[in-house]
Amino acid sequence: MSSPSILISGASIAGPALASWLAQAGWDATVVERFDRLRDEGQNIDIRGSGREVLRRMGLEDAVRAAHTRETGLDFVDERGRPLARFAAGTDDTSGGTAELEILRGRLGQILYDHSSTKAAYVFGDQITALHDDGHGVDVEFLHGSARRFDAVVVAEGLRSRTRSMVIPDVRLRELGLYSAYLTIPRTDADDNRWRWLICDRGRGVTLRPDDVGTIRAGLNMFGSVRGLDRLDRDEVVTILRATFDDVGWETPRILDALDEAPLYFEALGQARLPRWSRGRVVLLGDAAYCASPISGMSTTLALTGAYVLAGELAHHTDTHTAFARYEAIMRPFVGRAQQLRPGLPRILFPRTRRQRSLLWTGLRTATSPLVNRLGDVSGGLFSPPADALRLPDFAMTARHGG
C-alpha cells in the first residue's frame, strides 16, 4: 500500500518539525509556504522544558546550541542606560527570563528545514485557497499550483492564520492590547550580550537584545486601545512609532533613526483559545491553534511539543480522528498552563504613569536584592514558565500504511 499523504501549511517552526517526524514515520509529507523563501527575519526565541527534549529526540540540540545568541541575562535599565535590576540567564531547561538556550527564530527555522527537507517536499510561494473534506481525504486547491488530494491537512500557521477560518470559522482571538515592532540594527560599542529593557511610562517599552550574527535586535512595544494598527502599511507604522517614542531617551533615538532602512516586523500580541483544534481530516498546530503570545515564553516550546505529539499519534493510529483527538487531549492541559500569564501581565510591565513606573522599578530592585534572594530564587519565580508541565510521551516513529 502507498504511504499516507499529508499537507502542512506553514514553514516556520511547527510545520518543519512535524514534517520531519512524519516523514520518519513513513508519511508522504508536503509543506506549503506562502512566502517565496524561508523567512530569516525574527527575534530571539527561547526553547524550554519539553521543547528542549523534542530537540534532543530529533538529534538537533547541539545544532541549536551552536546557533545560540549567547545572551547572558536581562537588565532593566533607566533612561541613561544604567541597570536598575539584573537577572542572570537560566542554567537549566526551564528557568530564567533569558533562557539557557536562546536562538533567532530564523536560525531555528533553517535548522528544522535542513533536517526535514531531505525527507519532505517543500513548495514555496503558494497557499491554500480551499479545502474539500469528503471524509476519506481532503481535496486542496492552491492559489498557483494544481489541486491535489491528501489523506490529512495540518494548518501550522501564525496567530492570525488565513487558512484557519476554513477549518474553524469565526475564531475570536484574545487580544492583549500590546503592539510590538521588531527590527534589526547595527551593533555598536555600547552594546553587550545582555537583554536590556527600558520601561517607560504611557504603556511603552524599549528593548535591545544581542544576536549571533553581529547585529542587535531592537524592540519598540506599546499598549494601544485602537485595534488594527498591525494592518497598516509600513510607512504608516513608522509614522506611529516615531510619534509614540520621540520623547524617550536611552538608545531610542538610535532605533528610530534606523526605521527607514532596517527590516521591520510589527504585530499585535494575542492568544488563540479555540474550542477545538480539528474538523474532519484537517487539524491546527502551533500558534494557529494555541498561540500563548511572546509574553508567555512558551510559543516555541508549544510548537515543537505539539508537532511531536501530533506526529506520534498519527504514527500510531490509522484513523486520523482518533489521532487528532488524542493529540488534543494530551496538549490541552499543557496549553492551558502556558496561556495562564502571571497576574497583571503584560500590563504591569508597561505602566501608564511615571508613579507606576517608579513602583515597578522599586519592585524589580527588591527582587534582585541579596537579602530577598537568600530566601529563594526570585528570578525563577518571576520569569520561569511552566515548560516542564507536560511529561513527553515516548513514541516510536515507525512507518505505517493506510489513511
Side-chain angles (χ1 to χ4, degrees):
M1 296 179 63
S2 61
S3 298
S5 61
I6 194 161
L7 175 68
I8 303 165
S9 180
S12 180
I13 303 300
L18 178 66
S20 183
W21 285 116
L22 284 179
Q24 180 179 327
W27 282 70
D28 179 5
T30 300
V31 181
V32 62
E33 168 58 51
R34 67 187 182 93
F35 288 92
D36 60 6
R37 58 176 177 79
L38 283 179
R39 288 170 286 171
D40 57 4
E41 67 271 14
Q43 300 291 303
N44 306 50
I45 55 176
D46 44 341
I47 308 164
R48 304 174 187 258
S50 60
R52 289 278 293 275
E53 179 58 26
V54 170
L55 288 179
R56 292 187 187 108
R57 296 183 187 187
M58 297 180 82
L60 294 179
E61 187 179 25
D62 288 344
V64 172
R65 188 175 295 280
H68 179 27
T69 64
R70 306 297 186 265
E71 187 173 275
T72 59
L74 167 60
D75 292 346
F76 289 96
V77 302
D78 64 17
E79 291 188 333
R80 295 174 61 183
R82 297 173 301 188
L84 298 166
R86 310 194 78 194
F87 296 90
T91 56
D92 55 32
D93 279 11
T94 59
S95 66
T98 292
E100 193 255 349
L101 190 56
E102 297 270 352
I103 187 173
L104 297 178
R105 174 176 289 277
R107 298 273 271 171
L108 178 59
Q110 184 69 56
I111 290 170
L112 292 170
Y113 169 79
D114 291 343
H115 189 259
S116 61
S117 59
T118 58
K119 300 172 285 187
Y122 278 79
V123 178
F124 290 97
D126 208 349
Q127 59 186 294
I128 296 171
T129 57
L131 297 168
H132 306 285
D133 185 344
D134 62 12
H136 302 286
V138 186
D139 293 305
V140 183
E141 296 178 26
F142 299 93
L143 183 62
H144 301 298
S146 301
R148 293 177 59 186
R149 184 172 177 84
F150 297 88
D151 291 308
V153 174
V154 179
V155 180
E157 299 174 359
L159 171 65
R160 304 181 193 279
S161 166
R162 302 179 182 186
T163 313
R164 179 179 54 210
S165 60
M166 303 177 196
V167 187
I168 311 292
D170 302 321
V171 169
R172 297 186 65 181
L173 302 175
R174 183 195 175 200
E175 301 290 352
L176 298 180
L178 182 64
Y179 290 98
S180 293
Y182 310 104
L183 59 159
T184 303
I185 63 177
R187 190 180 181 100
T188 71
D189 292 340
D191 298 315
D192 55 24
N193 285 336
R194 306 286 292 182
W195 174 9
R196 293 175 291 162
W197 187 336
L198 171 63
I199 296 172
C200 313
D201 58 356
R202 292 164 45 198
R204 301 171 297 173
V206 181
T207 62
L208 292 175
R209 304 190 72 172
D211 60 28
D212 65 320
V213 294
T215 52
I216 291 292
R217 307 292 162 137
L220 298 171
N221 308 280
M222 61 183 190
F223 262 90
S225 58
V226 178
R227 297 289 180 261
L229 297 183
D230 53 315
R231 295 193 293 272
L232 299 177
D233 65 31
R234 180 191 168 94
D235 289 343
E236 292 170 321
V237 168
V238 168
T239 298
I240 290 172
L241 293 175
R242 291 193 190 282
T244 302
F245 290 91
D246 67 346
D247 65 330
V248 179
W250 185 46
E251 298 286 336
T252 311
R254 165 190 168 198
I255 299 172
L256 296 178
D257 287 344
L259 279 173
D260 289 334
E261 302 296 334
L264 174 66
Y265 179 74
F266 187 70
E267 67 172 341
L269 272 59
Q271 294 184 332
R273 298 188 174 189
L274 279 59
R276 64 186 188 276
W277 298 342
S278 66
R279 189 183 69 184
R281 288 177 169 264
V282 186
V283 66
L284 306 178
L285 174 66
D287 280 356
Y290 38 75
C291 176
S293 87
I295 300 296
S296 72
M298 287 286 289
S299 288
T300 305
T301 291
L302 289 177
L304 291 170
T305 304
Y308 172 78
V309 172
L310 178 57
E313 295 300 339
L314 284 169
H316 284 77
H317 298 282
T318 57
D319 177 53
T320 55
H321 299 80
T322 300
F324 293 167
R326 288 182 58 84
Y327 151 69
E328 186 162 343
I330 291 171
M331 286 295 295
R332 268 214 183 264
F334 188 39
V335 168
R337 289 284 303 276
Q339 291 185 330
Q340 289 177 356
L341 304 179
R342 296 189 184 279
L345 288 179
R347 180 80 254 187
I348 194 173
L349 291 174
F350 299 89
R352 294 182 178 89
T353 67
R354 288 184 176 271
R355 174 173 171 73
Q356 290 174 341
R357 183 180 69 171
S358 296
L359 292 172
L360 177 56
W361 281 358
T362 299
L364 290 169
R365 288 192 192 98
T366 302
T368 54
S369 69
L371 175 61
V372 169
N373 278 274
R374 278 200 294 268
L375 302 176
D377 178 16
V378 175
S379 65
L382 287 173
F383 298 117
S384 300
D388 56 355
L390 173 67
R391 183 174 180 179
L392 205 62
D394 288 319
F395 293 116
M397 300 289 186
T398 53
R400 69 153 179 95
H401 296 288

CSV table of all heavy atoms in Angstrom, one decimal, residues 136-172:
chain,number,residue,atom,x,y,z
A,136,HIS,N,-12.9,10.8,3.5
A,136,HIS,CA,-11.9,9.8,3.1
A,136,HIS,C,-10.6,10.5,2.7
A,136,HIS,O,-9.6,9.8,2.7
A,136,HIS,CB,-12.4,9.0,1.9
A,136,HIS,CG,-13.7,8.3,2.2
A,136,HIS,ND1,-13.8,7.2,3.0
A,136,HIS,CD2,-15.0,8.6,1.8
A,136,HIS,CE1,-15.1,6.8,3.1
A,136,HIS,NE2,-15.8,7.6,2.4
A,137,GLY,N,-10.6,11.8,2.5
A,137,GLY,CA,-9.4,12.5,2.1
A,137,GLY,C,-9.8,14.0,1.9
A,137,GLY,O,-11.0,14.4,2.1
A,138,VAL,N,-8.8,14.8,1.7
A,138,VAL,CA,-9.1,16.3,1.5
A,138,VAL,C,-8.5,16.7,0.2
A,138,VAL,O,-7.3,16.5,-0.1
A,138,VAL,CB,-8.4,17.1,2.6
A,138,VAL,CG1,-8.7,18.5,2.5
A,138,VAL,CG2,-8.7,16.5,4.0
A,139,ASP,N,-9.4,17.3,-0.6
A,139,ASP,CA,-9.0,17.9,-1.9
A,139,ASP,C,-8.7,19.3,-1.6
A,139,ASP,O,-9.5,20.1,-1.1
A,139,ASP,CB,-10.1,17.8,-2.9
A,139,ASP,CG,-10.4,16.4,-3.4
A,139,ASP,OD1,-9.5,15.7,-3.8
A,139,ASP,OD2,-11.6,15.9,-3.2
A,140,VAL,N,-7.4,19.7,-2.0
A,140,VAL,CA,-6.9,21.0,-1.7
A,140,VAL,C,-6.7,21.8,-2.9
A,140,VAL,O,-6.1,21.4,-3.9
A,140,VAL,CB,-5.6,20.9,-0.9
A,140,VAL,CG1,-5.1,22.3,-0.5
A,140,VAL,CG2,-5.8,20.0,0.3
A,141,GLU,N,-7.2,23.1,-2.9
A,141,GLU,CA,-7.0,24.0,-4.0
A,141,GLU,C,-5.9,25.0,-3.6
A,141,GLU,O,-5.9,25.4,-2.4
A,141,GLU,CB,-8.3,24.7,-4.4
A,141,GLU,CG,-9.3,23.8,-5.0
A,141,GLU,CD,-10.6,24.5,-5.3
A,141,GLU,OE1,-10.5,25.7,-5.6
A,141,GLU,OE2,-11.7,23.9,-5.3
A,142,PHE,N,-5.1,25.4,-4.5
A,142,PHE,CA,-4.0,26.3,-4.2
A,142,PHE,C,-4.1,27.6,-5.1
A,142,PHE,O,-4.8,27.6,-6.1
A,142,PHE,CB,-2.6,25.7,-4.5
A,142,PHE,CG,-2.4,24.5,-3.7
A,142,PHE,CD1,-2.7,23.2,-4.1
A,142,PHE,CD2,-1.8,24.6,-2.4
A,142,PHE,CE1,-2.4,22.1,-3.4
A,142,PHE,CE2,-1.6,23.5,-1.6
A,142,PHE,CZ,-1.9,22.2,-2.1
A,143,LEU,N,-3.5,28.7,-4.6
A,143,LEU,CA,-3.5,29.9,-5.4
A,143,LEU,C,-2.8,29.8,-6.7
A,143,LEU,O,-3.3,30.3,-7.7
A,143,LEU,CB,-2.8,31.0,-4.5
A,143,LEU,CG,-2.8,32.4,-5.1
A,143,LEU,CD1,-4.3,32.9,-5.3
A,143,LEU,CD2,-2.0,33.4,-4.2
A,144,HIS,N,-1.7,29.0,-6.8
A,144,HIS,CA,-1.0,28.9,-8.0
A,144,HIS,C,-0.9,27.5,-8.5
A,144,HIS,O,-1.1,27.2,-9.7
A,144,HIS,CB,0.4,29.4,-7.8
A,144,HIS,CG,0.5,30.9,-7.4
A,144,HIS,ND1,0.0,31.9,-8.2
A,144,HIS,CD2,1.0,31.5,-6.3
A,144,HIS,CE1,0.2,33.1,-7.6
A,144,HIS,NE2,0.8,32.8,-6.4
A,145,GLY,N,-0.7,26.5,-7.6
A,145,GLY,CA,-0.5,25.1,-8.1
A,145,GLY,C,-1.8,24.4,-8.4
A,145,GLY,O,-2.9,24.9,-8.1
A,146,SER,N,-1.6,23.3,-9.0
A,146,SER,CA,-2.8,22.4,-9.3
A,146,SER,C,-3.4,21.8,-8.0
A,146,SER,O,-2.7,21.6,-7.0
A,146,SER,CB,-2.4,21.3,-10.3
A,146,SER,OG,-1.9,21.9,-11.5
A,147,ALA,N,-4.7,21.6,-8.0
A,147,ALA,CA,-5.3,20.9,-6.9
A,147,ALA,C,-4.7,19.5,-6.7
A,147,ALA,O,-4.4,18.8,-7.6
A,147,ALA,CB,-6.8,20.8,-7.1
A,148,ARG,N,-4.7,19.2,-5.4
A,148,ARG,CA,-4.2,17.8,-5.0
A,148,ARG,C,-5.0,17.3,-3.9
A,148,ARG,O,-5.7,18.0,-3.2
A,148,ARG,CB,-2.7,18.0,-4.6
A,148,ARG,CG,-1.7,18.4,-5.6
A,148,ARG,CD,-0.3,18.5,-5.1
A,148,ARG,NE,0.2,17.3,-4.5
A,148,ARG,CZ,1.3,17.2,-3.8
A,148,ARG,NH1,2.1,18.3,-3.7
A,148,ARG,NH2,1.7,16.1,-3.3
A,149,ARG,N,-4.9,16.0,-3.8
A,149,ARG,CA,-5.6,15.3,-2.7
A,149,ARG,C,-4.7,14.7,-1.7
A,149,ARG,O,-3.6,14.1,-2.0
A,149,ARG,CB,-6.5,14.1,-3.3
A,149,ARG,CG,-7.4,13.4,-2.3
A,149,ARG,CD,-8.3,12.4,-3.0
A,149,ARG,NE,-9.1,11.7,-2.1
A,149,ARG,CZ,-10.3,12.1,-1.5
A,149,ARG,NH1,-10.7,13.3,-1.8
A,149,ARG,NH2,-11.0,11.3,-0.7
A,150,PHE,N,-5.0,14.8,-0.4
A,150,PHE,CA,-4.2,14.4,0.7
A,150,PHE,C,-5.1,13.6,1.7
A,150,PHE,O,-6.3,13.8,1.8
A,150,PHE,CB,-3.5,15.5,1.4
A,150,PHE,CG,-2.6,16.3,0.6
A,150,PHE,CD1,-3.1,17.4,-0.2
A,150,PHE,CD2,-1.2,16.0,0.5
A,150,PHE,CE1,-2.2,18.2,-0.9
A,150,PHE,CE2,-0.4,16.8,-0.2
A,150,PHE,CZ,-0.9,17.8,-1.0
A,151,ASP,N,-4.4,12.7,2.4
A,151,ASP,CA,-5.1,12.0,3.5
A,151,ASP,C,-5.5,12.8,4.7
A,151,ASP,O,-6.4,12.6,5.4
A,151,ASP,CB,-4.3,10.8,3.9
A,151,ASP,CG,-4.2,9.7,2.9
A,151,ASP,OD1,-5.3,9.3,2.4
A,151,ASP,OD2,-3.1,9.3,2.5
A,152,ALA,N,-4.6,13.9,4.9
A,152,ALA,CA,-4.9,14.8,6.0
A,152,ALA,C,-4.2,16.1,5.7
A,152,ALA,O,-3.2,16.2,4.9
A,152,ALA,CB,-4.3,14.2,7.3
A,153,VAL,N,-4.7,17.2,6.4
A,153,VAL,CA,-4.1,18.5,6.2
A,153,VAL,C,-3.8,19.1,7.6
A,153,VAL,O,-4.7,19.0,8.5
A,153,VAL,CB,-5.0,19.4,5.4
A,153,VAL,CG1,-4.5,20.9,5.4
A,153,VAL,CG2,-5.2,18.9,4.0
A,154,VAL,N,-2.7,19.8,7.8
A,154,VAL,CA,-2.3,20.4,9.0
A,154,VAL,C,-2.1,21.9,8.7
A,154,VAL,O,-1.4,22.3,7.8
A,154,VAL,CB,-1.1,19.8,9.6
A,154,VAL,CG1,-0.7,20.6,10.9
A,154,VAL,CG2,-1.2,18.3,9.9
A,155,VAL,N,-2.8,22.8,9.5
A,155,VAL,CA,-2.6,24.2,9.4
A,155,VAL,C,-1.6,24.6,10.5
A,155,VAL,O,-2.0,24.7,11.7
A,155,VAL,CB,-3.9,25.0,9.5
A,155,VAL,CG1,-3.7,26.5,9.4
A,155,VAL,CG2,-4.9,24.5,8.4
A,156,ALA,N,-0.4,24.9,10.1
A,156,ALA,CA,0.7,25.2,11.1
A,156,ALA,C,1.1,26.7,10.8
A,156,ALA,O,2.3,26.9,10.6
A,156,ALA,CB,1.8,24.3,11.0
A,157,GLU,N,0.1,27.6,10.8
A,157,GLU,CA,0.4,29.0,10.5
A,157,GLU,C,0.4,29.8,11.8
A,157,GLU,O,0.5,29.3,12.9
A,157,GLU,CB,-0.6,29.5,9.6
A,157,GLU,CG,-0.6,28.7,8.2
A,157,GLU,CD,-1.8,29.1,7.3
A,157,GLU,OE1,-2.6,30.0,7.7
A,157,GLU,OE2,-1.8,28.5,6.2
A,158,GLY,N,0.4,31.1,11.7
A,158,GLY,CA,0.5,32.0,12.8
A,158,GLY,C,-0.8,32.3,13.5
A,158,GLY,O,-1.8,31.7,13.2
A,159,LEU,N,-0.7,33.2,14.5
A,159,LEU,CA,-1.9,33.6,15.3
A,159,LEU,C,-3.0,34.0,14.4
A,159,LEU,O,-4.2,33.7,14.7
A,159,LEU,CB,-1.5,34.7,16.3
A,159,LEU,CG,-2.6,35.4,17.1
A,159,LEU,CD1,-3.3,34.4,18.0
A,159,LEU,CD2,-2.0,36.6,17.9
A,160,ARG,N,-2.7,34.8,13.4
A,160,ARG,CA,-3.8,35.3,12.5
A,160,ARG,C,-3.8,34.6,11.2
A,160,ARG,O,-4.0,35.2,10.1
A,160,ARG,CB,-3.5,36.8,12.4
A,160,ARG,CG,-3.5,37.5,13.7
A,160,ARG,CD,-3.3,39.0,13.7
A,160,ARG,NE,-2.9,39.5,15.0
A,160,ARG,CZ,-3.8,39.7,16.0
A,160,ARG,NH1,-5.1,39.5,15.7
A,160,ARG,NH2,-3.4,40.1,17.2
A,161,SER,N,-3.8,33.3,11.3
A,161,SER,CA,-3.8,32.4,10.2
A,161,SER,C,-5.0,32.7,9.2
A,161,SER,O,-6.1,32.8,9.6
A,161,SER,CB,-3.9,30.9,10.7
A,161,SER,OG,-4.2,30.0,9.7
A,162,ARG,N,-4.7,32.7,7.9
A,162,ARG,CA,-5.7,32.9,6.9
A,162,ARG,C,-6.4,31.6,6.6
A,162,ARG,O,-7.6,31.6,6.3
A,162,ARG,CB,-5.1,33.4,5.6
A,162,ARG,CG,-4.3,34.7,5.8
A,162,ARG,CD,-3.7,35.2,4.5
A,162,ARG,NE,-2.9,36.4,4.7
A,162,ARG,CZ,-2.3,37.1,3.7
A,162,ARG,NH1,-2.5,36.6,2.4
A,162,ARG,NH2,-1.6,38.2,3.9
A,163,THR,N,-5.8,30.5,6.8
A,163,THR,CA,-6.3,29.2,6.4
A,163,THR,C,-7.2,28.7,7.5
A,163,THR,O,-8.1,27.9,7.3
A,163,THR,CB,-5.2,28.2,6.1
A,163,THR,OG1,-4.3,28.8,5.2
A,163,THR,CG2,-5.8,26.9,5.4
A,164,ARG,N,-7.0,29.1,8.8
A,164,ARG,CA,-7.7,28.5,9.9
A,164,ARG,C,-9.2,28.7,9.8
A,164,ARG,O,-10.0,27.8,10.2
A,164,ARG,CB,-7.2,29.2,11.2
A,164,ARG,CG,-7.9,28.7,12.5
A,164,ARG,CD,-7.4,29.5,13.7
A,164,ARG,NE,-7.4,30.9,13.5
A,164,ARG,CZ,-6.6,31.8,14.0
A,164,ARG,NH1,-5.6,31.3,14.8
A,164,ARG,NH2,-6.7,33.0,13.8
A,165,SER,N,-9.7,29.8,9.2
A,165,SER,CA,-11.1,30.1,9.0
A,165,SER,C,-11.8,29.0,8.2
A,165,SER,O,-13.0,28.8,8.3
A,165,SER,CB,-11.4,31.5,8.5
A,165,SER,OG,-10.8,31.6,7.2
A,166,MET,N,-11.0,28.3,7.3
A,166,MET,CA,-11.6,27.2,6.5
A,166,MET,C,-11.9,26.0,7.4
A,166,MET,O,-12.7,25.1,7.0
A,166,MET,CB,-10.7,26.8,5.4
A,166,MET,CG,-10.3,28.0,4.5
A,166,MET,SD,-9.1,27.4,3.2
A,166,MET,CE,-8.5,29.0,2.6
A,167,VAL,N,-11.3,26.0,8.6
A,167,VAL,CA,-11.4,24.8,9.5
A,167,VAL,C,-12.3,25.2,10.7
A,167,VAL,O,-13.3,24.5,10.9
A,167,VAL,CB,-10.0,24.4,10.0
A,167,VAL,CG1,-10.1,23.1,10.8
A,167,VAL,CG2,-9.0,24.2,8.9
A,168,ILE,N,-12.0,26.2,11.3
A,168,ILE,CA,-12.7,26.7,12.5
A,168,ILE,C,-13.1,28.2,12.2
A,168,ILE,O,-12.4,29.1,12.4
A,168,ILE,CB,-11.9,26.7,13.8
A,168,ILE,CG1,-11.2,25.3,14.0
A,168,ILE,CG2,-12.8,27.0,15.0
A,168,ILE,CD1,-12.2,24.2,14.2
A,169,PRO,N,-14.3,28.4,11.7
A,169,PRO,CA,-14.7,29.8,11.3
A,169,PRO,C,-15.0,30.6,12.5
A,169,PRO,O,-15.3,30.1,13.6
A,169,PRO,CB,-16.0,29.6,10.4
A,169,PRO,CG,-16.5,28.2,10.9
A,169,PRO,CD,-15.4,27.4,11.3
A,170,ASP,N,-15.0,31.9,12.3
A,170,ASP,CA,-15.4,32.9,13.4
A,170,ASP,C,-14.6,32.7,14.7
A,170,ASP,O,-15.1,32.8,15.8
A,170,ASP,CB,-16.9,32.7,13.7
A,170,ASP,CG,-17.8,32.9,12.5
A,170,ASP,OD1,-17.4,33.8,11.7
A,170,ASP,OD2,-18.7,32.2,12.3
A,171,VAL,N,-13.3,32.6,14.5
A,171,VAL,CA,-12.4,32.5,15.7
A,171,VAL,C,-12.3,33.9,16.3
A,171,VAL,O,-12.0,34.9,15.6
A,171,VAL,CB,-11.0,32.0,15.3
A,171,VAL,CG1,-10.0,32.1,16.4
A,171,VAL,CG2,-11.1,30.5,14.9
A,172,ARG,N,-12.5,34.0,17.6
A,172,ARG,CA,-12.3,35.2,18.3
A,172,ARG,C,-11.0,35.1,19.2
A,172,ARG,O,-10.9,34.3,20.1
A,172,ARG,CB,-13.5,35.5,19.2
A,172,ARG,CG,-14.8,35.8,18.4
A,172,ARG,CD,-15.9,36.2,19.3
A,172,ARG,NE,-15.6,37.5,19.9
A,172,ARG,CZ,-16.4,38.2,20.7
A,172,ARG,NH1,-17.6,37.6,21.1
A,172,ARG,NH2,-16.1,39.4,21.2
